[in-house]
Amino acid sequence: MTGTTDQIVAMFEASGIETVFGFPCEQMDPYYSSLNDSSIRHVLGRSEASAALMADGYARTSRTVGVVDGVGGPGAAYIGAGLAEASGASSPVLALTGDNERDIRGREVIQDADNEAILEPFASATFDAESPERAVEAVETALRRMTTGVPSPVHVNLPGDVLDRDSEYALPDALSASYSTPGPTPNPETTARALNLLEDAERPVLLAGEGVVRAGASEDLSALAERTRTPVVTSINGKGAVAETEPYALGVVGRWGFCQVANDALEEADLVVGLGTRFGDLTTVGWSLLDADADVVHVDLDPAWLGRNYEPAVAVQAEIRATLQALLEAVDPDDYRGRESRLADLAADRHEWRESHEDNLTSDAEPIVTHRVIHELNEHVPADGVLVSATSFSGFFSGAFYEVEEPGLGYLQARGSDGINVCLPQALGMQTARPDADVVALTGDGAIGYHVADLETAAREDLSITVVVLNNDGLGSSKASQIGTDSFHLSTDFHEGVDYAAIARGFGCQGVRVESVEDLGPELETAIGSDEPTLLDVQVDPYAMPPILV
């Protein structure tokens, strides 16, 4: 017989999990002992919430299940705050909670709670192990569930009287924690119908969501756009579905952080081919952008979203990459000749739109205009780097003006939950998965406050992340909303002069306060090139406004 936690950890090792995240608790000491004797790296987050978000960032980057552990009760509640993003974004995070012995539950013991009830809203399945064998079986089931079909979080509750016993469970001979394996392929007849619509359309648009990036299908989408001479617009997290510097790339569509040319193209389209997108409120501006007479082709791995927001003329429940490859095999570029002029006109319109913001993008004003920060990020983040943006104003500016130069995972924003709390720990998880990559976290001073202690995590774990804080001494988006609503602002200002650079240095990172454009570019270049975690506290204009639709 083998210890229960020894079997769980051995399963992790055999399935390819190299790093897990968490916040240790006494109830799970046997698990940590097993990890200590294994090859797996355990990264301590400064809260269960930040550890869960790190696991999410790690999962999205490594294409491997992310694992987070923590105590039940309050720890489970904090894990839930982290799992909210993974749940909304279909990210496979396995949450392990350590619980009290079953025979003393409900008897006023510490950290006592119904952990399944706490995490059920954010998990596609939750298990409360009743024996050592069922505990190991639950973890195996969770791994299989998360790596087949639509990825999602799963929760396993581990009582103390289960963890400290031996298990006779027969471990599987082969199990992979990777979720990059090919999914279902499209029906040829369905593919042909979609292609016929694309051939017949006069103003088609390809709308790419994060599903394209997650499927590793960016090169295939780029090839389809080129061969059919069809423009591509993306959701915010679809950035990177194609290189945004290509002439067929029109930028982000939607309510916030959009390119007006992308919105106009979607609004005028007579065919919209949605790939790995949910056609949600943000992307469609409250379902108002698509013309009522436009045909919709919707391709998604998750059948729950097909037809939920728009009735498709053709619905394809299949893996995105396989679908794009099937379309490419059937496409004859000669059938799409004559569309070059439309693409050229749209590319010119996009260039003109960007030129209309050039004064702000190159402004030398102080406090620094936020557009200029994005301009400098475009200049200094390498083409193969990753920008992880907070939501709210940080995301509105970066969504509109930051350009991903290479197809693939070059940009990420917490659109699964729209939580401004996600950025820093999610970026740390990504940096853990890709230690040699240049990962930059773009966050506001409101967002950094949630998990500022995890700057110490970056220093302790030698994560060479760059953190750019847009410091406007308050909650910029909330203030703008209140002023626009009724000319007031309440509880949106922070104590003036908070020095986040000094805070970063106190946690063991490099920290620099940036007040002038003259210093911004050089400091950003130095930070990205450094082997140490570095925070730039950039003083920005509190009244700079990004592209938003109320």
Side-chain angles (χ1 to χ4, degrees):
M1 291 190 295
T2 308
T4 299
T5 56
D6 290 336
Q7 285 199 321
I8 291 173
V9 170
M11 198 183 328
F12 286 167
E13 287 182 304
S15 65
I17 294 173
E18 298 178 351
T19 302
V20 297
F21 304 83
F23 195 95
C25 60
E26 297 172 7
Q27 289 90 332
M28 293 185 71
D29 277 347
Y31 171 70
Y32 302 123
S33 178
S34 297
L35 284 175
N36 189 60
D37 293 334
S38 75
S39 62
I40 296 176
R41 175 187 184 185
H42 186 277
V43 175
L44 164 65
R46 292 299 296 263
S47 73
E48 293 88 350
S50 68
L53 292 167
M54 290 177 202
D56 169 58
Y58 180 87
R60 296 201 208 186
T61 309
S62 66
R63 304 285 298 165
T64 302
V65 169
V67 179
V68 60
D69 60 70
V71 72
Y78 279 121
I79 287 175
L83 284 194
E85 171 62 20
S87 176
S90 297
S91 180
V93 175
L94 171 59
L96 304 177
T97 51
D99 202 354
N100 293 305
E101 291 81 357
R102 288 168 297 160
D103 62 348
I104 60 172
R105 289 179 183 174
R107 298 177 62 188
E108 194 62 21
V109 292
I110 62 168
Q111 299 165 329
D112 197 22
D114 186 342
N115 298 321
E116 285 192 283
I118 292 172
L119 293 177
E120 187 273 335
F122 311 111
S124 62
T126 180
F127 302 92
D128 186 15
E130 299 175 353
S131 70
E133 290 76 20
R134 293 304 295 271
V136 183
E137 179 187 36
V139 173
E140 179 187 350
T141 300
L143 291 176
R144 294 193 187 281
R145 186 184 185 101
M146 289 186 287
T147 55
T148 56
V150 180
S152 61
V154 175
H155 166 232
V156 177
N157 191 55
L158 298 168
D161 57 323
V162 169
L163 282 185
D164 61 4
R165 292 160 55 193
D166 288 338
S167 168
E168 297 182 0
Y169 188 77
L171 294 178
D173 293 329
L175 180 64
S176 174
S178 171
Y179 63 101
S180 59
T181 53
T185 57
N187 181 295
E189 294 181 4
T190 305
T191 304
R193 289 168 53 208
L195 202 56
N196 286 338
L197 287 173
L198 186 57
E199 291 174 4
D200 294 340
E202 295 181 1
R203 299 176 305 280
V205 168
L206 302 174
L207 169 57
E210 187 182 355
V212 174
V213 180
R214 298 271 289 277
S218 296
E219 291 185 4
D220 301 292
L221 176 59
S222 302
L224 183 67
E226 290 172 359
R227 293 185 195 180
T228 63
R229 298 160 177 86
T230 305
V232 178
V233 301
T234 76
S235 66
I236 283 186
N237 263 4
K239 289 173 72 70
V242 296
E244 293 185 289
T245 51
E246 293 288 350
Y248 51 78
L250 302 185
V252 170
V253 70
R255 185 189 301 277
W256 300 330
F258 59 89
C259 170
Q260 186 61 52
V261 178
N263 274 11
D264 291 345
L266 188 63
E267 197 167 21
E268 296 166 4
D270 59 353
L271 172 68
V272 179
V273 181
L275 299 153
T277 180
R278 296 172 177 175
F279 288 99
D281 166 64
L282 179 61
T283 300
T284 63
V285 190
W287 304 282
S288 69
L289 279 186
L290 274 67
D291 189 282
D293 295 326
D295 286 322
V296 173
V297 174
H298 194 180
V299 183
D300 205 286
L301 183 61
D302 190 347
W305 288 102
L306 296 175
R308 179 178 293 191
N309 286 318
Y310 286 98
E311 185 65 32
V314 178
V316 184
Q317 195 267 310
E319 200 265 337
I320 305 296
R321 188 176 182 184
T323 302
L324 285 167
Q325 290 175 345
L327 290 170
L328 286 169
E329 289 177 4
V331 160
D332 182 352
D334 290 339
D335 293 336
Y336 301 88
R337 294 197 183 279
R339 296 187 175 186
E340 294 87 352
S341 60
R342 176 173 177 249
L343 269 188
D345 288 344
L346 288 169
D349 290 345
R350 184 173 191 272
H351 178 75
E352 183 179 345
W353 170 83
R354 196 168 181 90
E355 285 290 314
S356 71
H357 294 278
E358 190 67 15
D359 287 348
N360 281 328
L361 289 167
T362 58
S363 171
D364 293 330
E366 297 176 9
I368 299 170
V369 178
T370 310
H371 304 69
R372 182 60 188 264
V373 180
I374 306 303
H375 173 78
E376 295 297 334
L377 288 169
N378 278 321
E379 291 292 315
H380 294 288
V381 177
D384 59 354
V386 182
L387 180 68
V388 183
S389 176
T391 58
S392 196
F393 267 20
S394 304
F396 304 167
F397 279 106
S398 62
F401 300 116
Y402 183 76
E403 292 186 324
V404 179
E405 297 180 31
E406 290 187 359
L409 183 56
Y411 181 90
L412 187 62
Q413 191 180 136
R415 297 264 52 100
S417 62
D418 194 32
I420 67 171
N421 61 305
V422 173
C423 175
L424 177 60
Q426 192 176 60
L428 292 175
M430 297 185 76
Q431 187 74 80
T432 303
R434 293 174 55 182
D436 297 327
D438 291 306
V439 177
V440 178
L442 176 69
T443 177
D445 48 346
I448 193 69
Y450 280 85
H451 299 296
V452 68
D454 278 297
L455 292 171
E456 184 273 330
T457 304
R460 171 175 21 92
E461 296 292 333
D462 294 321
L463 301 174
S464 58
I465 191 171
T466 298
V467 181
V468 178
V469 178
L470 302 175
N471 188 348
N472 57 15
D473 290 322
L475 300 174
S477 179
S478 296
K479 179 183 289 186
S481 177
Q482 291 180 0
I483 291 174
T485 298
D486 199 20
S487 299
F488 77 101
H489 59 93
L490 173 72
S491 295
T492 57
D493 292 321
F494 299 146
H495 176 71
E496 189 174 347
V498 175
D499 190 340
Y500 293 98
I503 293 170
R505 292 192 296 270
F507 279 121
C509 301
Q510 296 296 314
V512 180
R513 183 179 174 93
V514 179
E515 298 180 286
S516 70
V517 169
E518 182 181 2
D519 294 333
L520 178 58
E523 291 294 353
L524 190 57
E525 182 177 8
T526 299
I528 292 174
S530 173
D531 291 332
E532 298 181 80
T534 303
L535 182 144
L536 302 182
D537 183 2
V538 183
Q539 310 304 298
V540 297
D541 181 357
Y543 297 104
M545 289 295 294
I548 55 174
L549 295 173
V550 178

